[in-house]
Each structure stands twice: as C-alpha cells, then as structure tokens.
C-alpha cells in the first residue's frame, strides 16, 4: 500500500515530503550536535568536581596515612561524602587496604573496594553501583594517588565516585526543549515547503491539463504563460505545439475522409483477397497433409515440418521427428544416408540438383525404395529445403511382377511352339518303349525299359505343366500314390547324376535312404516324382565336393512326411526367403529359376506344405508334408466308361505329319486287330477318308498344310457318322468349347500310353456302333 502511494504521489507532494524530510534531518542533526556538546561539557564539569574532591581529600588525609590513623581517615571520608552528588569516597593506605569509606553506596562497595593496589597515576572510569534501595546508578569514578615528598611510590590513594543523575536530569530537560523546538520547526518547514511546492508546480499542472486535453482531442486548448522563465518557455512551446497539432488535425480529418472513400472500395477487395488467400492456404494444407508422398522441410539439418504420409511411411511420431536431437540420416539405409543428406544440404543452399533414388528404413527395419526430390524455399524468414519422398517400393514390385508376367507370357508362347514338337518326340519314345515291352524281353532289360517309359511319362506331365504355366487349373484327377515308391523312382531317374557322373568326377556322394512303408497320399505320381527329382538334383548341385544325401519318409498324424537333406554349402536367410520365387536362381546361366517354383506349385496343388531349413556351410533340409489319401481310388471319366468298349476290330485312318508317330499309332492299333491306314498330311488324309469307308479317324492337330480342326470339319461334312479323334501335343492349351464345336469324339494327348490309346479306340468304336443302331451319339470329352 505504501509503495503504491509513493508511486502515485504528485510532484507537489514529493516536494513537500522532501522539504519535510530535509527539515527533520537538519533539526535532528542540530539536536544531536547540541545534545552531544552539552553532554560532553557536563561530564567535563563532573570530572573536574570529582578530581578536585579526590585531591582535596588526599591532601587532608596525607598525615593520617603516614600515621595509619584509620579513624581520622574514616572521618575525612565521611566529611567528603556529605557533598551532594558524591556517591562514595574511599581511602586506601599504602598497602592497598581500605582505610575509610563513606557515601550512599559505601556499604555495597565495601567488599569490592576492600583490597586494591594503590594507583600510581590518576585513573578515570565509569562504573555502575547500587544504592541503599538496590537501584543501579551510573557513577564517574576518579582515583588519585596520595604522594609524600621524598617518596617515589604513592603512600595511598583516594577514590571518589560522582553520580551521573544530575547530568542526566539536565540532559533530559535539554532534549525535551530541543524536541519541542524541532517539532515546531518541522511543522513550519512542511507548511512552507507545501506552499512553495504549489507555487512551483502550478505551471506544471496547467501543462498536464493541456496534455490531457490534447489526448482528448481538444486541439484548441491553450495554457497561460507565467511563472519562472523555464516554465514560461515550456508553456509557450506547448502552445506552439498545440497550434501545429490543430493544423495537422484538420489535415488529418480531410485525409481521413478521403481514406474512408478509398476504403469503401478497398475493403471489398481486401476481403476477397483474404478469402482467396485463406482458401488457397487451406487447399495447400489439404494437399500437403493428404498427399500420398512424404513431404518434409529441413532447415540446418533439422526437420521443421512433416506431413502425415511421412509419419505413416517411416512409422515415426511427429513429436519425435521435430526434436533437435533427431537424426535425419537414421531414416535412410547406410548405403544412401550420406548421399541423401548431401543432396538436402545442396538444395538448402539453393543448388539445382536432380532427384535421386535412395533406400529408406522405417522404425521396424523395413526397407523402402524412395525417389528423393527437393528445392530451396524460405521458411520462417530463413532458407530451407523442401523435400518430397516418393515411395516407389510398390511400383518396383509391380514392375518386377510385370517383368515376370511378360516372361511367363513369353514362356507360354514359347511352350506352345516347343511343347508340340517335344510331345511328338516323347510320343515316339513312349510308344516305341511300350511296344518293346510287349515283346517280353528278359527282366533286366524290361526293368531298364520301364525306367525309360516312366521318364517319358513324367516328361509328358512336365510339358503339360509348362503349357499350363500361365493358366489356372480348375481340377485334378488324383489317385492314391505310394510316396516311398515315388522317392525310389526319383532316385533311379537321377542315378546318372549322383552315381555315374559323381564317380566320373571322383566325388563321393553317400546315399542314405530310409523309406519304410507309409500310408498312401492322394496325388499324381508323375508330378510327385518331378518334385523329388528337382530336390535331389538341387541337393547334388549343392555338394560339388561330395557329401551325404539323405532321403526318408515317415508318418505323422494325418500327414505323410518326406525329407530331402544334404550336407552341402547351404544358403543365407535372404536366399531362403526368395527360394520359391519364379526365375530366382543362384546357378547363373545354368539355372532357369523355375525348378523350385514348380516344386512349390505341385506341393501346394496336392494340399501339402514344404519347409526349408538351411545355414551357410551346414547344408539344407527340405521337409514335405502331404495329406494321407482318404479314398482308395479316384474314378475318372475313362474308368466310368470301361464297360462301354467293344472288342470288334475296326477300320481306322491315322493322319499325322510325323512318320514316327503315325507308325507308332499304326503298330499299336494293328496289334489290337484293327485295320489301319496312314496319311502323312491333312490333304492326303481327307482324300483317303472320302474314298474309303472308315470306322474311326485319328488326326494330328498341328500340321503344315491343314489343321486338325479343318480335317475334322471336312470329314464331318462328307461323312457325319464317322467319329474323329484328335491326337495333339498341345495338351492343356486346347479350348474345350472348340473341341465341342468341331464335334470331336475324343482327344488323345501326346505322348500317350498305348493302353489309353487302345481303350479310347474301343470306346469310340462302341459309341459308333450304338449310333448306327439308333442310339444317341456322344463325345468322349
């Protein structure tokens, strides 16, 4: 409260208070000087009185001291103590014994003054004593030695104590008068100071009133010029200022009217531009925040701004990224961190640098492919780099998938041309082998022929899968398969690699086979043989210096397990993750990258799983799990029609531009008792079909001069009752609708089993007989 009052006091009050304080200080100083001077004078008088009394008593007591007349000394002390203001008188002999004492405080000081060494010179000191009433009183004591002529040592001493009470009373009366005088002078000085302050501050008050009037807009207010020269000059200056302010106010009013007229048109423009700016900022913010690309602003190596896409891409929190200690380089792969930071610094300096491809790294360790773009901007008044990180990870994956798709498409187109010729070759091999096995060779030769036959059959399935590589299978005709037999067959097929070729290279591959009897699995034995053939060949390739190859099968729950393990070079985790990707290979130009992807596809189609464990230098183990067969046999369409075949020989026309295939078909059908004619072109076959009456026509699909479709159409136009069987190496690429549209009775796929060929012939002949007897005809399908 006091501080607030001091802050808010006026100049007049300050002057009056200052004057009062000054007067009070002067009066106080004067009172102190007067009091001190009077006190010193009175004490000097008191000291002179005590000293004269002591000397007088000493002069009178000298004879008595010489005679040790203590009674006379006591009388001398009592006589001196009768003087008003003397508190006590004490006389000591030469030895310091108390010879006489008197006064109002004599009895209380007797013990204290009983023994004292006589002083050799005058001693003065202030002491406190108690009188007979027990009250303490201040006393000025003077001790004067008593000397005898002819003696160097004092013969005694006289101590006189004079009370200060008289001096204090006089000083108290003096202080009272001085205080009353000081109060009167202070009051008079304050009144005089206040009057003087009013006289001095009156012009200042008028100036303050003029300033208030100016602040209120009263530019015509003036103040009178009076007072001291300085104050009068200040008043004149203020009036001149008011004149100028008045003139400026009139000019300002005119300008304000003009400005208001201008604002009437500008306000709408400002509102429109403000609205446009606000909308632009909102749109820019929405674009930045909703951008799928990561956007950030970097200034002096520190991230100042980031959008939501940046947080989602790198899985970081905005509060962590905007901290000063955040390391921007930690967002990039070590191989790209230095390049990215260098490019950002260059952009911040204003250099024009093209975008770069970098590798980013999120907080979970995931690697992202990024395109880093940037430019210099001004951010909060200082240069900064605006960076855009375009995530190209998915685009790269799409491009890679597109490349794979193109490769698959190219492979499909290639397989369409190659598979036909390859199936023709396999057809000739398989047909000839089956014809040879019918001649009943000795068991050793028959066993070797069976291996060739099985390999040709597996080759047929392999070609069929290549043809279907880019197609989706809708179903499979599976049957129970003994997995142990499949493993042993695969070993026999690959014997030349793990035995013959290894021995030629002087490399020892130890075989460990453990294939006990296990339940059958549901599938295709040819496909499963290809699985184990691929795994065995890969294991052999992984052991260039030899090692141990272990194959086993066992039963576990509802599944049959098969294991293919080697002690080869092994693989890294990165290779193991891409092991089943199409076209992924570690064999360079010697590998296609399709083997294990085909293995994975076959196992998946069979409803099984495949696990791989491997480590560098510790070998690799493939563990396959296939479900047990729940049925003893899966019936096919051919099985359902076994009873529809006939045994009557028929007259058959075989049309094929491959002489080997035509000969195999002819010999196989002749062996069953049929009459067979061959034609090595489509045109020749159509001519023969028109000249003779045939029961069945077998025609190849792909021939140079005429396709099988055209052959079937012309024969059906000439003799609609003759069934046409299509023999083709195109396999699964045939369109079922096309087959039905050309009324094909049956399709035989190259390479074919002779038993299936014979059975198909019998079924077709049987249907033809029923059609001739009036029963409806149907295609075998």
């Amino acid at each position: 409260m006091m501080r607030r009052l001091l802050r808010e006091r006026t100049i007049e009050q300050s002057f009056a208070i200052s004057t009062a304080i000054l007067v009070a200080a002067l009066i106080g100083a004067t009172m102190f000087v007067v009091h001190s001077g009077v006190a010193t004078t009175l004490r000097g008088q008191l000291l002179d009185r005590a000293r004269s009394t002591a000397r007088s008593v000493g002069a009178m007591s000298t004879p008595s001291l010489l005679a040790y007349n203590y009674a006379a000394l006591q009388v001398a002390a009592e006589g001196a103590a009768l003087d008003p203001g003397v508190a006590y008188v004490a006389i000591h002999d030469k030895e310091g014994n108390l010879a006489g004492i008197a006064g109002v405080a004599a009895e209380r000081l007797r013990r204290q003054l009983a023994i004292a060494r006589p002083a050799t010179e005058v001693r003065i000191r202030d002491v406190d004593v108690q009188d007979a009433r027990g009250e303490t009183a201040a006393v000025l004591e003077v001790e004067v030695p008593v000397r005898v002529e002819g003696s160097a040592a004092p013969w005694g001493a006289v101590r006189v104590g004079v009370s200060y009470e008289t001096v204090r009373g006089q000083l108290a009366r003096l202080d009272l008068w001085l205080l009353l005088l000081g109060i009167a002078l202070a009051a008079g000085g304050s009144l005089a100071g206040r009057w003087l302050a009013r006289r001095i501050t009156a012009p200042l008050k008028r100036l303050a009133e003029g300033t208030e009037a100016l602040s209120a807009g009263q530019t015509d207010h003036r103040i009178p010029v009076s007072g001291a020269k300085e104050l009068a000059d200040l008043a004149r200056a203020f009036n001149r200022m008011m004149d100028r302010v008045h003139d400026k106010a009139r000019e300002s009013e005119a300008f304000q009217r003009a400005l208001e007229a201008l604002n009437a048109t500008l306000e709408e423009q400002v509102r429109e531009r403000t609205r446009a700016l606000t909308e632009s900022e909102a749109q820019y913010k929405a674009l930045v925040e909703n951008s799928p690309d990561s956007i950030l602003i970097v200034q002096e190596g520190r991230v100042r701004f980031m959008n939501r896409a940046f947080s989602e891409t790198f899985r970081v929190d905005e509060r962590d990224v905007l901290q000063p200690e955040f390391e921007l380089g930690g967002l990039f792969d070590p191989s790209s961190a230095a390049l990215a930071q260098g490019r950002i610094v260059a952009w911040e300096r204003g250099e024009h640098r093209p975008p770069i491809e970098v590798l980013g790294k999120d907080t979970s360790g995931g690697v992202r492919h990024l395109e880093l773009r940037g430019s210099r901007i001004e951010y909060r008044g200082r240069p900064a780099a605006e960076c855009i990180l375009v995530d190209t990870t998915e685009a790269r994956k799409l491009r890679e998938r597109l490349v794979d798709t193109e490769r698959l498409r190219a492979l499909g187109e290639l397989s369409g041309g190659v598979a036909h010729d390859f199936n023709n070759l396999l057809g000739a091999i398989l047909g000839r082998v089956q014809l040879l096995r019918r001649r009943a060779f000795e068991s050793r030769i028959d066993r070797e022929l069976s291996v060739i036959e099985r390999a040709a059959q597996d080759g047929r399935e392999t070609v069929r899968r290549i043809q279907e590589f880019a197609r989706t299978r809708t179903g499979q005709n599976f049957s129970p398969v003994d997995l142990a037999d499949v493993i042993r067959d695969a070993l026999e097929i690959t014997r030349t690699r793990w035995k013959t070729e290894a021995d030629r290279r002087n490399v020892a591959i130890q075989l460990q086979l453990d294939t006990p009897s296990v339940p059958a699995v549901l599938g295709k034995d040819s496909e499963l043989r290809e699985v184990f053939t691929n795994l065995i060949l890969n294991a052999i390739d992984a052991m260039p210096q030899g090692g141990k190859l272990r194959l086993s099968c066992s039963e576990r729950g509802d599944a049959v397990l098969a294991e293919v393990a080697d002690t080869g070079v092994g693989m890294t985790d990165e290779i193991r993750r891409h092991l089943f990707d199409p076209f992924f290979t570690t064999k360079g130009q010697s590998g296609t990258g399709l083997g294990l992807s085909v293995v994975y596809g076959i196992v998946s189609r069979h409803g099984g799983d495949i696990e791989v464990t491997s480590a560098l230098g510790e070998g690799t183990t493939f563990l396959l799990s296939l479900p047990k067969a729940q049925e003893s046999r899966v019936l096919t369409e051919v099985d359902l029609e076994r009873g529809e075949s006939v045994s009557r020989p028929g007259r058959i026309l075989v049309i094929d531009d491959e002489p080997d295939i035509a000969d195999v078909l002819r010999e196989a059908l002749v062996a069953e008792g049929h009459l067979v004619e061959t034609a090595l072109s489509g045109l020749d076959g159509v001519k023969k079909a028109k000249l003779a009456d045939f029961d069945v026509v077998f025609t190849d699909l792909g021939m140079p001069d005429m396709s099988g479709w055209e052959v079937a159409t012309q024969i059906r136009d000439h003799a609609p009752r003759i069934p046409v069987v299509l023999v083709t190496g195109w396999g699964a690429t045939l369109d079922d609708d096309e087959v039905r549209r050309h009324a094909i009775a049956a399709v035989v796929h190259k390479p074919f089993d002779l038993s299936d060929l014979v059975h198909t012939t019998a079924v077709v002949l049987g249907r033809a007989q029923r059609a001739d007897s009036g029963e409806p005809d149907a295609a075998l399908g």
Side-chain angles (χ1 to χ4, degrees):
M1 182 65 179
M2 180 59 68
R3 290 182 179 179
R4 186 172 64 83
L5 290 175
L6 291 176
R7 286 196 304 267
E8 296 177 357
R9 66 178 180 267
T10 62
I11 297 177
E12 179 183 339
Q13 293 172 340
S14 299
F15 189 83
I17 293 172
S18 300
T19 303
I21 293 174
L22 179 61
V23 171
L26 290 175
I27 293 173
T30 303
M31 291 177 62
F32 175 76
V33 170
V34 172
H35 177 86
S36 298
V38 173
T40 301
T41 301
L42 293 176
R43 188 177 185 281
Q45 293 176 356
L46 192 65
L47 179 60
D48 292 340
R49 179 182 175 186
R51 185 183 294 114
S52 61
T53 302
R55 287 176 179 172
S56 175
V57 173
M60 290 188 298
S61 301
T62 299
S64 301
L65 287 172
L66 292 174
Y68 292 94
N69 185 356
Y70 291 130
L73 292 172
Q74 178 64 31
V75 172
E78 290 177 354
L82 295 177
D83 189 0
V86 175
Y88 60 86
V89 176
I91 302 173
H92 295 270
D93 60 13
K94 184 179 182 180
E95 286 76 19
N97 296 319
L98 185 62
I101 185 170
V104 294
E107 294 302 324
R108 292 186 178 272
L109 290 173
R110 184 178 295 276
R111 293 180 180 178
Q112 180 180 352
L113 301 176
I115 300 175
R117 182 178 299 276
T120 59
E121 58 185 10
V122 177
R123 288 190 297 191
I124 302 170
R125 57 176 176 268
D126 293 324
V127 296
D128 293 330
V129 298
Q130 289 182 342
D131 54 17
R133 295 175 295 181
E135 295 179 356
T136 302
V139 175
L140 175 63
E141 180 184 277
V142 176
E143 182 177 359
V144 177
V146 179
R147 297 184 182 277
V148 179
E149 187 176 353
S151 174
W155 203 260
V158 178
R159 298 171 65 180
V160 177
V162 184
S163 176
Y164 274 110
E165 291 300 325
T166 303
V167 174
R168 286 184 175 178
Q170 293 175 352
L171 288 176
R173 288 191 295 275
L174 176 62
D175 289 342
L176 178 60
W177 283 106
L178 289 175
L179 178 61
L180 294 176
L181 178 61
I183 291 173
L185 292 175
S190 296
L191 293 175
R194 188 172 183 82
W195 176 82
L196 183 61
R198 287 182 178 179
R199 293 282 296 175
I200 294 174
T201 59
L204 296 178
K205 284 183 179 181
R206 289 193 292 270
L207 181 62
E209 291 172 356
T211 305
E212 290 291 336
L214 176 62
S215 64
Q218 301 175 11
T219 58
D220 55 351
H221 182 83
R222 300 294 183 272
I223 60 176
V225 178
S226 61
K229 182 179 182 303
E230 292 83 358
L231 296 177
D233 292 341
L234 182 61
R236 280 190 290 271
F238 178 81
N239 290 335
R240 287 194 299 271
M241 180 189 70
M242 290 295 285
D243 293 338
R244 288 195 294 270
V245 169
H246 186 70
D247 295 338
K248 293 295 182 182
R250 288 198 302 270
E251 295 176 3
S252 178
E253 288 177 2
F255 178 76
Q256 184 67 27
R257 287 192 295 271
L259 184 61
E260 288 175 356
L262 180 62
N263 284 343
T265 59
L266 289 179
E267 285 180 358
E268 183 61 30
Q269 297 179 15
V270 171
R271 283 195 295 269
E272 183 64 28
R273 292 186 180 182
T274 303
R275 182 168 57 254
L277 180 61
T278 303
E279 292 175 357
S280 176
E281 290 179 351
Q283 292 171 358
Y284 176 77
K285 184 175 181 181
L287 286 174
V288 170
E289 287 298 330
N290 298 318
S291 172
D293 300 326
S294 300
I295 300 175
L296 68 158
I297 296 176
V298 181
Q299 192 175 66
E300 298 177 353
R302 178 181 171 187
V303 177
R304 301 292 185 176
F305 169 81
M306 57 176 280
N307 67 344
R308 184 166 53 248
F310 184 89
S311 177
E312 294 172 353
T313 299
F314 291 94
R315 301 180 184 178
V316 292
D317 189 81
E318 181 179 3
R319 291 172 295 182
D320 297 333
V321 175
L322 298 181
Q323 293 298 320
E325 62 271 12
F326 180 78
E327 291 291 339
L328 183 60
L331 296 176
F332 299 98
D333 187 78
S335 62
S336 303
L339 178 61
Q341 289 182 311
R343 191 57 56 93
I344 292 172
V345 171
W347 285 328
E348 189 174 351
R349 289 198 300 261
E351 300 178 13
H352 295 283
R353 297 292 182 89
I356 56 173
E357 296 284 341
V358 295
L359 290 177
K361 185 174 62 176
D362 57 33
T363 55
S364 62
V367 177
R368 315 290 298 181
H369 292 272
L370 305 169
E371 180 180 335
L372 178 60
R373 307 173 183 172
S375 61
R376 176 178 174 172
I377 63 170
E378 290 292 327
Y379 183 74
R380 295 182 178 177
R382 291 187 297 164
E386 182 181 42
C387 303
I388 301 176
L389 293 164
V390 181
D391 193 342
T392 61
T393 305
E394 295 302 324
R396 279 176 169 266
K397 291 180 180 178
L398 288 175
R399 287 197 296 268
E400 292 172 358
R401 291 195 198 104
L402 181 60
V403 171
D404 289 344
T405 302
E406 288 298 320
R407 294 175 68 182
L408 288 173
R409 184 184 62 80
L411 181 61
E413 293 177 355
L414 179 64
S415 66
V418 174
H420 177 265
D421 297 335
F422 191 57
N423 277 334
N424 285 334
L425 297 175
L426 287 176
I429 295 172
L430 183 59
R432 289 297 177 186
V433 168
Q434 291 178 345
L435 288 174
L436 287 173
R437 293 194 67 189
R438 290 185 177 187
R439 297 181 183 181
F441 288 101
E442 59 180 287
S443 60
R444 182 180 62 81
I445 296 177
D446 186 69
R447 184 170 61 254
E448 298 295 337
L449 290 174
S450 68
V451 173
I452 298 174
E453 179 185 12
R454 194 177 302 115
Q457 290 172 340
D458 291 348
R460 175 184 60 189
E461 294 299 323
T462 300
V463 173
R464 185 174 299 171
R465 281 194 299 277
I466 292 176
Q467 289 175 323
E468 295 176 344
F469 199 80
R471 296 165 57 93
T472 303
R473 297 193 179 190
T474 57
Q476 294 287 351
N477 293 324
F478 287 159
S479 60
V481 177
D482 188 339
L483 206 58
D485 288 343
V486 170
I487 293 174
R488 287 191 288 269
D489 290 343
L491 271 176
E492 193 64 30
I493 292 172
T494 58
R495 175 180 291 274
T496 56
R497 288 289 307 277
W498 59 265
K499 180 62 177 174
T500 306
E501 187 178 336
D503 291 344
R504 181 178 58 79
R505 293 189 295 111
N506 197 25
V507 172
I509 295 181
Q510 302 176 15
L511 178 64
Q512 181 180 345
L513 183 63
D514 182 15
T515 54
S517 178
V518 293
V521 298
L522 201 60
K524 278 195 172 182
D525 55 355
S526 59
E527 292 191 1
L528 294 176
R529 273 195 296 272
E530 183 174 359
V531 168
F532 288 100
T533 299
N534 269 314
L535 294 179
I536 292 172
L537 292 177
N538 279 341
I540 295 171
D541 291 338
M543 297 185 293
Q545 305 302 321
K548 182 182 293 185
L549 174 63
R550 185 177 73 256
L551 296 98
S552 63
C553 58
S554 59
E555 178 184 1
R556 186 175 68 185
D558 295 333
V560 176
L561 304 182
E563 184 178 88
V564 179
D566 64 71
T567 58
V569 295
M571 66 186 79
T572 63
D573 290 340
E574 181 66 20
I575 293 177
R576 184 172 56 81
R577 282 194 294 270
H578 297 283
L579 197 60
F580 298 114
D581 292 350
F583 306 110
F584 178 79
T585 179
T586 59
K587 300 179 182 179
Q589 297 297 325
S590 62
T592 63
L594 290 174
L596 289 178
S597 64
V598 170
V599 167
Y600 184 82
I602 293 174
V603 173
S604 298
R605 284 197 299 272
H606 282 71
D609 295 320
I610 183 168
E611 297 179 4
V612 184
T613 56
S614 181
L616 284 176
E618 298 182 7
T620 303
T621 299
F622 288 86
L623 181 64
L624 284 71
S625 174
L626 296 169
K628 293 179 182 178
Q630 301 298 323
E631 305 177 42
S632 60
R633 181 156 176 78
V634 177
L635 299 179
T636 65
E637 186 177 357
V638 174
D639 296 323
L640 293 174
E641 297 188 4
R642 289 289 183 185
E644 298 181 8
S645 62
V646 296
S647 59
R648 178 182 69 81
R651 191 174 183 185
I652 302 173
L653 174 63
V654 174
I655 306 172
D656 200 308
D657 62 326
E658 292 287 339
D660 292 338
I661 299 297
D663 289 343
V664 169
L665 286 170
R666 181 179 55 79
E667 291 183 20
L669 294 174
V670 167
E672 296 296 322
H674 300 292
L675 298 176
V676 181
E677 289 188 27
T678 61
L680 297 181
S681 68
L683 291 173
D684 188 26
V686 171
K687 290 178 182 179
K688 289 185 177 182
K690 291 180 178 180
L691 294 175
D693 187 15
F694 292 99
D695 296 317
V696 179
V697 175
F698 283 84
T699 179
D700 187 18
L701 177 59
M703 294 180 290
D705 59 340
M706 184 181 293
S707 71
W709 305 121
E710 295 172 332
V711 171
T713 299
Q714 294 193 23
I715 291 177
R716 296 285 290 184
D717 291 342
H718 172 69
R721 309 298 292 178
I722 298 178
V724 178
V725 178
L726 201 63
V727 182
T728 178
W730 296 102
T733 60
L734 284 180
D735 189 349
D736 293 339
D737 293 336
E738 189 77 9
V739 172
R740 286 190 293 270
R741 186 165 57 251
H742 288 86
I744 302 299
V747 178
V748 175
H749 298 285
K750 298 177 184 178
F752 43 79
D753 287 326
L754 294 183
S755 58
D756 291 340
L757 176 67
V758 170
H759 171 67
T760 300
T761 304
V763 171
V764 172
L765 284 173
R767 287 187 172 182
Q769 280 187 350
R770 289 194 301 274
D772 291 340
S773 63
E775 297 181 18
D777 188 14
L780 178 63

